[in-house]
Amino acid sequence: MNRQGVLIALMMGGLAVLLWAIVNAPDNEPPWPAKVEGFSLSPMRPGNDPNKGLLPSIAEIDEDLALLSGDAHAVRTYSVDGTLAEIPRLAEAHDLNVALGAWIGANAPANDRQLEKLLQVFRENHDNVVRVIVGNEAILRNDQKVEAVIRYLRRVRAAVWAPVSTAEPWHIWLDHPELVKEVDYLAVHILPYWEGIPVDAAVDYVVRRYEELRSAYPDKPVVIAEVGWPSKGRIRQGAVPSQANQARFLRRFLAVAEREGYVYYVLEAFDQLWKRAIEGEAGTYWGVYNVDREPKFEFTA
């Protein structure tokens, strides 16, 4: 090979190395905070299914809370069925606050039992229950009409001294100002993945929806009761689930939340295998930890 050929080969090799370096350069993303404000907590493990009454043991729940105690200030719960009613008591021992939830579905007697149990759990653990959430997307699922949820809210607000709300996506709150009048704060779900928003636009989308609610209801505090990104599942329009995108979205959101002083609960602490039947693969993989309680990415790197 002559000198010209050698120079061309070296130039091509250098360009290849440069291209590799550009493609594989690490993202310059914001650091993970010292502690997350809160995690949504469904402490289910493989073999558990709350729809079938198959719940984790008290010891397993305690292990999960011990793991989260170093990463978060609080957890949000969804039900007071069975062992799940023990979460506030166990959380207090790990210095975790609780947003205590009651599941509201289509079955009125079951709802009554949930609310009675909720009030009992609150009375016994009110020191670390910082807010109460009566129902999770019951209106969105058409399990209950707005008027019925209002009746449940009034019942609970008359009996507890913590702030009370129900949890719904942002558009339910905008569509129902009559519901807003019955709560102490707005517990809102803002999940850009489900709305097909690309990850690079997702945090701006969350902020925009948050500000819409603050503008519409300036006298009501806004709590982001669910916010997150799945690490696996089907692509929804421009929203691509992946482990990298989950880390990217959460780091960006958490930086904004810390700067703006948002109260929020990351969806969610642990992957939930039982959700595959009702939400598909993407619904299974919102956890920051997998089902084996291993972190999906480095929190501090």
Side-chain angles (χ1 to χ4, degrees):
M1 183 182 295
N2 59 30
R3 180 180 295 181
Q4 186 177 11
V6 171
L7 289 174
I8 292 173
L10 289 173
M11 289 175 61
M12 294 300 294
L15 287 172
V17 171
L18 178 62
L19 180 61
W20 182 92
I22 292 172
V23 170
N24 292 279
D27 289 339
N28 185 21
E29 299 293 350
W32 194 267
K35 276 198 174 184
V36 169
E37 180 77 16
F39 280 113
S40 292
L41 174 64
S42 293
M44 307 303 159
R45 297 176 181 238
N48 293 148
D49 186 339
N51 293 323
K52 298 177 181 179
L54 302 173
L55 301 176
S57 69
I58 290 177
E60 288 171 330
I61 294 173
D62 192 57
E63 288 175 3
D64 286 347
L65 292 168
L67 176 61
L68 296 178
S69 64
D71 298 330
H73 294 290
V75 294
R76 177 203 166 180
T77 70
Y78 291 82
S79 170
V80 287
D81 280 338
T83 54
L84 303 180
E86 300 296 325
I87 292 176
R89 177 182 67 82
L90 298 170
E92 186 172 21
H94 296 290
D95 198 27
L96 286 164
N97 289 329
V98 177
L100 181 63
W103 185 262
I104 298 297
N107 185 304
N111 293 341
D112 288 337
R113 290 192 295 272
Q114 274 281 305
L115 295 189
E116 286 303 312
K117 185 67 174 180
L118 173 83
L119 297 179
Q120 176 190 339
V121 172
F122 177 81
R123 288 192 296 268
E124 294 172 354
N125 302 275
H126 58 82
D127 287 346
N128 68 319
V129 174
V130 294
R131 55 184 54 89
V132 173
I133 301 178
V134 180
N136 184 72
E137 297 186 348
I139 297 169
L140 178 70
R141 293 193 310 274
N142 291 317
D143 280 354
Q144 293 292 333
K145 300 297 185 184
V146 173
E147 296 76 15
V149 173
I150 287 174
R151 289 195 294 272
Y152 290 136
L153 286 165
R154 289 176 176 174
R155 177 175 166 184
V156 173
R157 290 181 81 196
V160 306
W161 48 94
V164 177
S165 187
T166 188
E168 293 286 348
W170 58 270
H171 67 276
I172 297 292
W173 292 110
L174 291 176
D175 291 344
H176 294 285
E178 72 277 22
L179 182 65
V180 175
K181 295 178 182 178
E182 303 293 337
V183 299
D184 298 306
Y185 64 97
L186 307 184
V188 59
H189 296 171
I190 312 178
L191 300 165
Y193 165 78
W194 288 120
E195 301 192 48
I197 307 298
V199 70
D200 285 335
V203 173
D204 288 342
Y205 181 85
V206 172
V207 171
R208 177 160 63 88
R209 294 306 186 190
Y210 180 92
E211 291 300 331
E212 281 181 348
L213 289 168
R214 289 218 320 175
S215 178
Y217 308 113
D219 297 329
K220 295 288 182 178
V222 178
V223 172
I224 304 179
E226 286 185 356
V227 62
W229 196 271
S231 62
K232 191 176 179 181
R234 296 182 62 181
I235 296 173
R236 290 181 64 86
Q237 301 173 41
V240 179
S242 72
Q243 195 163 299
N245 280 349
Q246 182 185 46
R248 184 175 291 116
F249 171 80
L250 287 175
R251 284 178 180 269
R252 294 173 183 178
F253 169 77
L254 293 172
V256 171
E258 190 167 37
R259 184 184 72 230
E260 300 297 328
Y262 293 167
V263 179
Y264 63 86
Y265 297 89
V266 170
L267 183 71
E268 57 192 315
F270 306 109
D271 281 350
Q272 302 293 302
L273 296 182
W274 66 275
K275 287 186 178 180
R276 181 177 282 112
I278 54 177
E279 295 183 10
E281 190 173 32
T284 304
Y285 294 105
W286 290 72
V288 171
Y289 293 88
N290 64 24
V291 294
D292 296 318
R293 277 45 186 172
E294 300 166 339
K296 293 182 181 177
F297 45 83
E298 291 291 336
F299 294 163
T300 56

